[in-house]
Amino acid sequence: GNKRKFLTRIRGMEEYGIDGKSLSNDVSHRFACSASVESNPVGRPALKKNCVEIVFQGRLDVELTALLTGDEQMSTHGGAKNSDYNLPKSVINVSLRKGIAAKKK
């Protein structure tokens, strides 16, 4: 099997007025990936009330950070352009699984 499959999970977007379902649709179109919205993730920390976790297929940590902060210079992917989200970088926390190196710039 291929051990290099990635999932990118994002949670807590409701705190910034971003609807999980519409974000998942937007990102799946921008980056041509599969996305699902989970309200009760199994085997991971519980979510706050009325919050969801969005799971994207693929490694999108840099692309999502660029999209959510509106920093088009971060990613070369065209899908990160023209973002309306504008979250501060300080609220984004990227945590990689053990043994996964950060992307080279």
Side-chain angles (χ1 to χ4, degrees):
N2 182 359
K3 291 185 175 17
R4 297 186 49 163
K5 291 199 168 142
F6 284 96
L7 289 178
T8 303
R9 301 176 193 282
I10 190 168
R11 47 170 56 193
M13 300 312 299
E14 295 82 1
E15 294 178 38
Y16 304 99
I18 298 172
D19 175 55
K21 190 80 179 141
S22 60
L23 177 65
S24 87
N25 287 336
D26 186 28
V27 172
S28 66
H29 287 113
R30 284 174 183 263
F31 300 112
C33 66
S34 155
S36 64
V37 178
E38 299 177 4
S39 55
N40 189 15
V42 179
R44 287 184 305 288
L47 292 164
K48 292 180 181 169
K49 192 172 181 168
N50 298 325
C51 288
V52 296
E53 179 177 80
I54 311 166
V55 182
F56 301 104
Q57 194 174 10
R59 180 164 182 185
L60 298 172
D61 49 33
V62 173
E63 289 80 3
L64 278 173
T65 303
L67 176 69
L68 293 172
T69 59
D71 184 356
E72 295 177 5
Q73 305 302 312
M74 277 185 80
S75 171
T76 57
H77 195 293
K81 291 184 174 17
N82 305 322
S83 164
D84 296 326
Y85 298 109
N86 296 320
L87 296 182
K89 263 191 189 144
S90 60
V91 302
I92 296 176
N93 174 19
V94 175
S95 60
L96 300 172
R97 224 176 34 236
K98 188 177 177 192
I100 305 297
K103 277 190 177 174
K104 292 181 176 70
K105 298 224 185 256

